[in-house]
Amino acid sequence: MNNPKPVVLRMSLLPLALASALLAACGTTDPGIPANTKTTLALLETTDLHTNVMSYDYFKLAEDKSLGFERTATLINTARAEFPNTMLLDNGDTIQGTALSDYQSLVSPLACNQTLAMYKVMNLMKFDGSGIGNHEFNYGLPFLNQVTGSKFDVDGVTNGATPCAGPSFPQALANVYSAKTKAPLFSPYHIITKNVSATQPDGKTVMTSVKVGIIGFTPPTIMSWDKRWLDGKVYTQGLVETATKFIPEMRSKGADLVVVISHGGLDNSAYDPNMENGNWHLSKVPGIDAMLIGHSHQMFPDAASTSAQFNLPGVDKVKGTVNGVPTVMANYWGKHLGLIKLDLVFDGAKWNVNSAGTKVEARSAQNPDKTYVAVEPSIAAAVAAEHAATIQYVKTPIGTTNFNMSSYFADVGDVSAIEIVNQAQADYVSTYVAANLPQYKNLPVLSISAPFKSGFAGGNDYTDVASGNVAINNAADLYLYPNTVYAVRVQGSDIKNWLETAAKRFNKIDPNLTTDQALISSFPGYNFDMFTTPDLKYEIDVTQAEGSRIKNLSYKGAAIDTAAYFIVATNNYRGSGGGNFPGIDMTKVIYASPDANRDVLISYIKSLKTLTLAKNGSDRSWSFTKVSTKGRVTFKSAPDKLSLATAAGLTHISSLNNSDGGTKNLADYAIDLSK
Amino acid sequence: MQRKFLPGKSTMISLLALTTLVVAGGFWQYQTRLPDAVQIEQWGVLAGVQDKEATLSLQTAADKGSTVAARALGQVLVLRPDEASVKEGQRWLQLASEGGDARASLLLGKLLLKGAPGIPAQALAAQTWFESAVKGGQPGAAHYLGLIYRQNLPGQARSPEKALHWLEVAAQAGFADSQFLLGQMIMTGDGSAPDPERARTWFEAAAEQDHPEANLQLLMAYTHNELGLKRNAEAEARQWKEAQHSLRHRPAAP
């Protein structure tokens, strides 16, 4: 309402209670219920569900009872049985996070008239509303526009005559705006008329309603996290300014309660409109009755929490308040259900919270005896087709291989499980540089990776993909860790240092010792980076001290120029300084890609269709410097695998036994370093 | 029974409005307490999406001598793809830095460390700005001093001891990237004896902030019995998913 400012200033001197009394006296509302009518409303929160609809792990293709909305739904049913009036609200990070979400967005994109599996089951459970998390933006704005049934007016989004199918509950997001129109991307808030049963002063139970305003926030840091989708298309505003603007508007439109649904945690460092976890400051904006928070994958309240954010001044981790505002965070993946019970009293004009009755808790799907609550069977039934299709997708062949891709002998030179990874990374980075980094287009692109599964846990801890079909879940065996592709620009001298560090994988061998010497040191296999290209050649001299082992390092047949620049495709761990490789850190990174090495590998195998030993599994860049040793040089691998070493051309390996006598399913082998 | 609003008499409407505005009055007071810096940051956000009006507002404030606006304007301009904007941005950052804005010094250091169109990377020149920023109260700049001392540069030999010192300054101030790198140096014994337990506390601090590589390091520590952790299927599964999940929202670089 546009009242002149002087009136505001004059009236702001009036106590609130007086204004309310005046309002009530002249009967602006006709609730049909007397003052002192009471009710209880329980706000139920889910957050960070990440499309864990089923209690299922799509990587392992096995049940995982510790997560999944089919169990959260049971917690919801229990709460609804316990409290007469509940409101079910989701705090975002909902539509991304499992193979199911990838399947519905990337593999077999959802048709306009279909509802996302996650939203389907949320509709089924009758959610009252939701916010929008940062991960909602991961698949880009057109996808988000489609699956939420929105009509974004932003560059790059085309809208049909009618919106696509979306959730059947309202979604609120107040701090993301279209750069084109400067209008909020979603409705910033909704005022939901919630029917409730209430008790009149005479003890009679009546049906009436409470107007609950929900307002949503997402971390402004989405702008850097999803830069590739959002840059120039949308912009964000800070939580405090946004709330300060909209909450009075919500009240003026009749909201009895204002519930903040803010995807983010708590941070009491100086307020900044771009801060990721702005809710500590947000809680101080007047007029908030309850806050549903998330994003941090933690639970609140939790008396035992050691998390820094829940031990800040003003935060009561036992009662569940932040600067006095009842606040809940329901962990993640459906492991918990957040609950804020509010006792409401009608004062003749509006509902007010009787804070003495407020109770906040995060309820676990795990029982005290470590078992889990039963599933709500209607959930699985509702998404049976999508679940089955996702499992099918994970098992679908993406190509074939004519050789066994394994890491049993990667430490001694077998590249059958490594080269395909290096080729996929090099292909991905070369394509990106050619298209986007013209200043580097003349630099050679090399690629490096390590055998992540190299027997640490025993004979079963090796990559082993049989010849024949290669499926998505085999790609997880070929690339174990959740990394993303990074490209670094380094000099020949950096490459030498890089390989010297990797060569710490080996113990120093004394050629004159007549006793057995173990070849492999305690340096972890995940740091044993290697190239696999005919262009780059080097020897590792294990008789030398660490730092002096790389010999005859050459590029295209000539000694490498230590001052020349190269691009090396690697992963985010190495590019960020993981393993403490000298000279490798973020300042060398020319491309921090958002794509997972494993996904890049899958795409590459799909594009090749057929993998052959000659082209994709036998290009060794390195060998041991030849040396005759008086005693045996030994190493361990899984038993009975010598034929794989032979197939890889490693004829200087011999099997010493079928068991090393331990319990880890390992056997001893020897390597003749003179050959 | 539904509550409904009756169509209003004029007095009633104005009272309703007044009630609203009484509430709004509280907010109005809150808003006047917000520092100008918040408005400037918001202009910076808008200027970042090439909003002409916001860029002009920043320009006007900077011209009037606001160092905060000069810094915000410089920050936006140095990210633009053309040399002219970058140079202009650098000029504003220098003005802001001379005006005592340590964040501008930090931004200048970052610009020189990484380079930009028309500006070659120059670590030693960047180092001077970072030193000035640290003195001015920007511990994030210590992270970059750590990076520089961790490298072997023409004209300045690697100094793991100095790198450890500066990374710890930034790590103590809460920067996850610094906590991770400091943990790496401590874990591998670079500049001091290896101390796995101490390294782990830094990785845990970074992981709590959703640092993807710190989460990965903890995952690998479980799978390889490192840093005092032991193989544990449940912890590994959880840590695997945390490492993957955090890739999509790494904490901001210092």
Side-chain angles (χ1 to χ4, degrees):
Chain A
M1 303 197 186
N2 298 317
N3 280 59
K5 219 171 197 175
V7 180
V8 186
L9 294 173
R10 185 157 42 82
M11 286 304 292
S12 67
L13 301 171
L14 273 177
L16 265 175
L18 175 58
S20 301
L22 284 168
L23 188 65
C26 68
T28 55
T29 61
D30 177 20
I33 53 170
N36 264 327
T37 298
K38 292 177 181 169
T39 187
T40 292
L41 177 63
L43 304 171
L44 308 180
E45 184 208 31
T46 56
T47 191
D48 297 84
L49 290 171
H50 283 288
T51 313
N52 287 285
V53 180
M54 306 286 291
S55 293
Y56 193 81
D57 184 332
Y58 291 100
F59 293 113
K60 293 184 178 152
L61 293 171
E63 183 183 39
D64 182 349
K65 290 179 182 175
S66 75
L67 50 81
F69 184 71
E70 58 177 337
R71 286 189 159 76
T72 331
T74 299
L75 297 178
I76 294 166
N77 290 338
T78 306
R80 282 177 171 161
E82 184 179 341
F83 299 98
N85 309 304
T86 60
M87 236 181 133
L88 180 56
L89 301 165
D90 179 72
N91 193 5
D93 278 12
T94 309
I95 68 167
Q96 175 277 344
T98 61
L100 169 58
S101 60
D102 283 348
Y103 178 77
Q104 292 202 296
S105 57
L106 305 171
V107 181
S108 175
L110 200 70
C112 178
N113 63 356
Q114 292 178 320
T115 305
L116 218 50
M118 187 74 243
Y119 285 151
K120 253 167 96 172
V121 296
M122 290 169 76
N123 291 344
L124 186 70
M125 289 304 291
K126 300 200 177 345
F127 271 69
D128 292 281
S130 84
I132 298 288
N134 51 293
H135 285 278
E136 263 63 65
F137 295 93
N138 287 166
Y139 297 122
L141 288 169
F143 182 78
L144 181 60
N145 183 59
Q146 180 198 322
V147 302
T148 56
S150 300
K151 280 197 130 181
F152 295 164
D153 191 359
V154 296
D155 288 339
V157 172
T158 47
N159 284 295
T162 51
C164 293
S168 59
F169 46 86
Q171 300 186 294
L173 181 63
N175 68 323
V176 179
Y177 293 78
S178 163
K180 185 174 157 193
T181 64
K182 297 201 176 167
L185 200 60
F186 287 84
S187 291
Y189 60 82
H190 292 275
I191 295 171
I192 300 165
T193 303
K194 184 73 192 170
N195 292 332
V196 295
S197 64
T199 308
Q200 293 188 165
D202 61 7
K204 215 172 105 188
T205 300
V206 291
M207 286 306 293
T208 179
S209 64
V210 178
K211 285 189 188 298
V212 183
I214 59 168
I215 179 167
F217 299 93
T218 205
T221 29
I222 56 167
M223 295 309 299
S224 57
W225 297 333
D226 275 308
K227 190 178 168 69
R228 65 169 161 171
W229 306 127
L230 305 182
D231 204 20
K233 297 193 169 73
V234 299
Y235 64 93
T236 60
Q237 291 199 339
L239 270 53
V240 168
E241 307 84 83
T242 309
T244 303
K245 176 180 164 198
F246 284 120
I247 290 176
E249 197 177 301
M250 294 166 74
R251 293 283 184 193
S252 78
K253 289 186 179 170
D256 292 302
L257 297 178
V258 170
V259 177
V260 161
I261 305 177
S262 184
H263 195 84
L266 307 173
D267 177 355
N268 74 337
S269 57
Y271 178 72
D272 184 298
N274 296 312
M275 73 195 299
E276 176 182 350
N277 297 297
N279 294 320
W280 188 88
H281 291 281
L282 179 60
S283 69
K284 294 193 161 190
V285 174
I288 299 172
D289 293 297
M291 285 206 307
L292 311 182
I293 60 173
H295 181 60
S296 317
H297 287 200
Q298 290 169 339
M299 53 184 168
F300 182 81
D302 174 12
S305 179
T306 55
S307 170
Q309 65 168 332
F310 299 138
N311 288 283
L312 295 175
V315 177
D316 188 330
K317 65 181 178 183
V318 182
K319 278 167 108 182
T321 58
V322 176
N323 296 312
V325 177
T327 302
V328 77
M329 189 193 282
N331 217 354
Y332 61 111
W333 304 337
K335 289 169 182 285
H336 283 70
L337 178 71
L339 193 151
I340 299 179
K341 186 201 85 161
L342 298 172
D343 283 356
L344 306 178
V345 183
F346 191 68
D347 64 9
K350 60 186 277 290
W351 292 95
N352 297 300
V353 177
N354 170 18
S355 59
T358 301
K359 207 178 154 212
V360 188
E361 50 181 317
R363 294 183 167 184
S364 178
Q366 187 171 33
N367 299 314
D369 66 357
K370 303 284 176 195
T371 61
Y372 293 91
V373 299
V375 299
E376 160 52 51
S378 63
I379 303 297
V383 297
E386 292 92 333
H387 181 58
T390 304
I391 291 173
Q392 195 53 46
Y393 148 66
V394 175
K395 290 179 174 171
T396 302
I398 51 172
T400 62
T401 169
N402 79 349
F403 61 105
N404 187 309
M405 308 164 90
S406 73
S407 64
Y408 296 111
F409 297 96
D411 278 333
V412 291
D414 179 11
V415 298
S416 63
I418 312 268
E419 185 173 12
I420 189 68
V421 172
N422 275 336
Q423 288 175 329
Q425 291 177 173
D427 177 73
Y428 175 87
V429 168
S430 301
T431 305
Y432 182 84
V433 170
N436 300 290
L437 299 172
Q439 66 272 38
Y440 301 131
K441 68 177 194 295
N442 294 324
L443 296 185
V445 175
L446 302 170
S447 181
I448 203 162
S449 60
F452 290 144
K453 296 174 81 174
S454 46
F456 180 84
N460 302 325
D461 182 23
Y462 289 97
T463 300
D464 188 354
V465 178
S467 61
N469 284 336
V470 181
I472 304 268
N473 55 341
N474 296 135
D477 198 15
L478 286 164
Y479 203 98
L480 180 65
Y481 291 122
N483 288 332
T484 51
V485 176
Y486 273 34
V488 294
R489 177 174 163 269
V490 295
Q491 289 175 285
S493 53
D494 295 314
I495 290 179
K496 164 93 166 29
N497 291 333
W498 194 325
L499 294 172
E500 287 289 3
T501 304
K504 292 180 183 176
R505 178 68 176 160
F506 304 108
N507 288 320
K508 187 181 175 193
I509 299 299
D510 180 349
N512 294 315
L513 268 185
T514 52
T515 47
D516 286 358
Q517 295 180 74
L519 180 65
I520 307 301
S521 73
S522 61
F523 185 82
Y526 59 75
N527 280 336
F528 182 37
D529 279 2
M530 66 179 82
F531 294 98
T532 55
T533 166
D535 287 347
L536 195 84
K537 293 282 187 187
Y538 55 102
E539 290 175 10
I540 298 176
D541 185 347
V542 292
T543 66
Q544 302 300 309
E546 287 179 0
S548 311
R549 291 176 172 174
I550 301 303
K551 299 282 167 67
N552 298 325
L553 177 58
S554 67
Y555 177 69
K556 290 200 168 169
I560 200 164
D561 176 356
T562 53
Y565 281 97
F566 298 84
I567 293 170
V568 179
T570 177
N571 60 46
N572 61 310
Y573 175 73
R574 189 71 72 240
S576 304
N580 201 35
F581 283 54
I584 310 300
D585 61 47
M586 277 304 287
T587 62
K588 301 284 169 65
V589 174
I590 57 165
Y591 181 43
S593 97
D595 290 315
N597 297 63
R598 184 187 290 177
D599 292 338
V600 164
L601 174 65
I602 289 168
S603 303
Y604 188 67
I605 295 173
K606 277 183 181 168
S607 72
L608 293 184
K609 291 190 182 71
T610 307
L611 312 184
T612 65
L613 180 62
K615 285 184 177 166
N616 314 106
S618 57
D619 286 313
R620 295 182 63 185
S621 277
W622 68 278
S623 56
F624 291 111
T625 300
K626 288 190 172 65
V627 59
S628 289
T629 58
K630 289 183 177 160
R632 293 189 303 192
V633 175
T634 66
F635 65 96
K636 292 178 193 293
S637 186
D640 304 321
K641 297 295 181 190
L642 190 62
S643 61
L644 287 174
T646 310
L650 302 172
T651 52
H652 52 317
I653 310 289
S654 55
S655 167
L656 299 181
N657 52 43
N658 288 328
S659 169
D660 64 353
T663 57
K664 290 166 78 179
N665 188 30
L666 288 168
D668 292 301
Y669 293 84
I671 179 169
D672 181 351
L673 291 173
S674 71
K675 290 182 181 160
Chain B
M1 205 177 309
Q2 291 284 323
R3 294 176 55 206
K4 5 175 220 253
F5 284 97
L6 290 174
K9 303 170 208 156
S10 63
T11 50
M12 186 193 77
I13 285 182
S14 68
L15 272 170
L16 179 62
L18 288 173
T19 310
T20 304
L21 289 165
V22 168
V23 178
F27 290 102
W28 175 80
Q29 283 170 0
Y30 190 90
Q31 202 146 31
T32 56
R33 280 193 283 110
L34 290 176
D36 284 347
V38 169
Q39 177 62 66
I40 286 169
E41 296 290 348
Q42 193 57 51
W43 284 335
V45 168
L46 284 167
V49 291
Q50 309 271 345
D51 184 273
K52 288 197 178 98
E53 205 180 316
T55 311
L56 194 65
S57 300
L58 279 182
Q59 182 98 39
T60 308
D63 280 338
K64 282 182 184 163
S66 161
T67 52
V68 182
R71 183 240 301 149
L73 182 60
Q75 185 171 11
V76 167
L77 293 177
V78 296
L79 291 176
R80 292 199 175 160
D82 59 299
E83 282 189 27
S85 294
V86 173
K87 287 277 181 203
E88 176 72 359
Q90 187 181 23
R91 190 179 70 81
W92 281 114
L93 289 178
Q94 272 164 354
L95 276 173
S97 175
E98 284 158 18
D101 188 306
R103 265 176 78 182
S105 309
L106 169 58
L107 290 165
L108 276 167
K110 287 167 76 169
L111 178 68
L112 296 180
L113 184 63
K114 195 97 191 191
I119 297 181
Q122 41 201 304
L124 293 182
Q127 185 172 324
T128 313
W129 288 110
F130 290 131
E131 282 162 358
S132 149
V134 170
K135 282 192 194 115
Q138 287 292 319
H143 173 80
Y144 297 98
L145 289 174
L147 283 185
I148 291 169
Y149 282 116
R150 195 175 160 274
Q151 295 176 353
N152 237 332
L153 295 170
Q156 182 172 286
R158 183 169 197 273
S159 169
E161 294 78 15
K162 284 184 182 169
L164 277 176
H165 166 75
W166 288 116
L167 285 175
E168 179 144 14
V169 169
Q172 293 284 6
F175 291 101
D177 282 350
S178 321
Q179 294 166 343
F180 174 73
L181 265 187
L182 179 62
Q184 291 294 332
M185 292 189 73
I186 295 171
M187 177 175 74
T188 56
D190 191 6
S192 66
D195 186 343
E197 300 282 337
R198 194 165 150 251
R200 193 181 84 206
T201 60
W202 285 117
F203 292 138
E204 285 170 346
E208 181 165 354
Q209 299 188 59
D210 277 339
H211 192 273
E213 293 79 26
N215 271 307
L216 179 69
Q217 191 69 62
L218 291 171
L219 165 62
M220 296 190 300
Y222 278 116
T223 57
H224 288 74
N225 292 350
E226 292 168 340
L227 306 176
L229 299 176
K230 293 274 176 249
R231 286 184 74 89
N232 165 349
E234 200 179 321
E236 286 166 32
R238 185 193 65 231
Q239 203 56 43
W240 202 99
K241 285 173 183 159
E242 280 301 319
Q244 184 190 43
H245 170 259
S246 55
L247 280 168
R248 297 292 185 101
H249 50 86
R250 60 177 59 252

